[in-house]
């Protein structure tokens, strides 16, 4: 019985701390007088209420007013650029296997949405070209953030194939690239010297230093925990910061209060509503 009371007490303390944290964040919003330009990137689309990295998720992200869209690309056995997060199709489809070992036609037979909800059972793993067509059809004029997923497997010429596609014609939106792999970003700098190249990292001070030093790296995408831990140093960082993944209300207020260049979130609609609260005061 004593153990149960102790657990309940700790749960009450956690709830109290969370409420206090939320209140502090909202109060800081009320004191904030500057307009907010921080860009909201829908992480794998509107991942909170649609199956990630699907046309449904990207459509929803545009519908709720996202400034940017973030997605991940891999290369199939027959050199097709597909939009999916993991190296295998196991988690987000009803199929199995590594993407690099599968033909696109084989991947296409599986559902990329049924795992999320049966109403999305007809969603498929899309080609990057299909996503680009969708963004054009929906008149998306924001920023497309393409993550090159070469941190585990080195897909042959994925950087060139992706760059060739993005530069093949004018699009109504702009694009940037990010990756955990510096070599991929260096290759992209050769194909597109003027594109924004963003170094992805978790909480490593060493990688932050690498990203700041490399002249071809133009932005940094660290984990939000690193950004919060180093809040007092942010003004000294001369490259734009776009942390991932910000889903907590308090972290959203933090990002806006510190005028971060942008951030990734699974909840773009919520983030946009909070951003509007800031700018409605102006």
């Amino acid at each position: 019985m004593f153990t149960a009371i102790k657990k309940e007490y700790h749960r009450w303390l956690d709830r109290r701390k969370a409420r206090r944290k939320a209140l502090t964040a909202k109060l800081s919003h009320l004191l904030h007088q500057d307009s907010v330009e921080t860009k909201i990137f829908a992480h794998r689309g509107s991942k909170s209420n649609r199956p990630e990295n699907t046309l449904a998720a990207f459509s929803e992200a545009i519908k709720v007013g996202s400034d940017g869209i973030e997605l991940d690309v891999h290369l199939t056995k027959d050199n097709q650029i597909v939009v999916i997060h993991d190296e295998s199709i196991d988690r987000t489809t009803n199929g199995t296997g590594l993407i690099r070992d599968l033909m696109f036609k084989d991947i296409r037979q599986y559902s990329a949405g049924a795992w999320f909800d049966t109403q999305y059972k007809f969603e498929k793993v899309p080609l990057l070209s299909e996503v680009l067509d969708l963004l054009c059809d929906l008149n998306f004029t924001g920023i497309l953030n393409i993550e090159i997923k070469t941190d585990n497997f080195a897909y042959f010429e994925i950087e060139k194939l992706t760059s060739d596609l993005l530069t093949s014609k004018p699009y109504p939106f702009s694009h940037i690239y990010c990756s955990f792999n510096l070599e991929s970003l260096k290759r992209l700098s050769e194909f597109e010297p003027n594109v924004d190249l963003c170094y992805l990292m978790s909480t490593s001070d060493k990688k932050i230093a690498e990203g700041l030093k490399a002249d071809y790296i133009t932005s940094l995408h660290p984990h939000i925990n690193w950004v919060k831990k180093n809040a007092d140093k942010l003004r000294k960082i001369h490259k734009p910061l776009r942390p991932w993944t910000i889903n907590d209300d308090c972290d959203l207020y933090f990002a806006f209060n510190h005028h971060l260049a942008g951030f990734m979130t699974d909840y773009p609609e919520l983030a946009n509503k909070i951003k509007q609260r800031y700018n409605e005061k102006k």
Side-chain angles (χ1 to χ4, degrees), residues 25-263:
K26 289 179 180 178
L27 285 173
S28 63
H29 151 251
L30 292 173
L31 296 172
H32 194 99
Q33 295 301 318
D34 301 328
S35 61
V36 169
E37 301 296 333
T38 302
K39 302 296 184 184
I40 299 166
F41 285 78
H43 183 230
R44 307 179 206 169
S46 187
K47 181 174 172 285
S48 59
N49 57 7
R50 299 291 188 276
E52 65 180 65
N53 276 327
T54 61
L55 298 185
F58 301 132
S59 296
E60 180 67 9
I62 295 172
K63 178 183 174 183
V64 301
S66 304
D67 299 305
I69 290 174
E70 186 268 356
L71 53 75
D72 313 273
V73 295
H74 294 264
L75 209 58
T76 65
K77 187 176 181 179
D78 52 338
N79 288 331
Q80 298 297 305
I81 307 170
V82 288
V83 178
I84 186 172
H85 180 268
D86 300 355
E87 282 73 21
S88 78
I89 64 172
D90 298 31
R91 181 177 63 86
T92 56
T93 79
N94 55 352
T96 59
L98 291 173
I99 295 163
R100 65 175 185 169
D101 294 335
L102 296 169
M103 303 290 280
F104 176 65
K105 66 179 178 63
D106 297 322
I107 295 174
R108 196 67 155 193
Q109 68 181 307
Y110 300 115
S111 169
W115 65 273
F116 188 86
D117 191 290
T118 54
Q119 67 176 304
Y120 299 111
K121 64 182 179 181
F122 295 114
E123 289 293 326
K124 303 292 185 180
V125 173
L127 290 167
L128 177 58
S129 60
E130 292 175 320
V131 176
L132 300 181
D133 289 342
L134 174 74
L135 301 190
C136 290
D137 291 343
L138 296 180
N139 196 32
F140 177 63
T141 56
I143 307 168
L144 178 62
N145 178 21
I146 304 165
E147 180 177 348
I148 308 294
K149 299 290 288 189
T150 50
D151 34 310
N152 288 318
F153 298 135
Y155 297 108
F156 182 66
E157 290 199 334
I158 188 173
E159 299 88 359
K160 185 176 189 306
L161 291 170
T162 303
S163 178
D164 285 348
L165 180 59
L166 267 296
T167 57
S168 61
K169 65 178 184 179
Y171 289 101
F173 49 88
S174 60
H175 68 275
I176 64 179
Y177 298 108
C178 68
S179 182
F180 285 98
N181 187 337
L182 276 175
E183 286 303 312
S184 282
L185 295 173
K186 192 170 185 179
R187 291 188 193 104
L188 285 163
S189 72
E190 296 168 0
F191 303 135
E192 297 180 55
N194 298 318
V195 76
D196 190 1
L197 296 174
C198 318
Y199 190 24
L200 264 171
M201 62 202 72
S202 183
T203 58
S204 169
D205 290 331
K206 180 181 177 181
K207 289 189 175 182
I208 288 286
E210 287 177 346
L212 289 171
K213 184 179 179 181
D215 56 2
Y216 60 92
I217 299 299
T218 48
S219 301
L220 304 178
H221 289 190
H223 193 280
I224 182 58
N225 288 345
W226 184 91
V227 178
K228 291 193 295 182
K229 181 181 177 182
N230 294 275
D232 58 332
K233 303 174 185 175
L234 299 183
R235 291 188 178 183
K236 297 178 182 178
I237 295 177
H238 59 275
K239 294 184 180 182
L241 291 171
R242 301 186 193 96
W244 55 277
T245 302
I246 301 182
N247 293 328
D248 179 88
D249 283 30
C250 300
D251 291 343
L252 291 170
Y253 283 113
F254 175 93
F256 293 132
N257 289 338
H258 285 82
H259 291 285
L260 300 183
F263 58 82

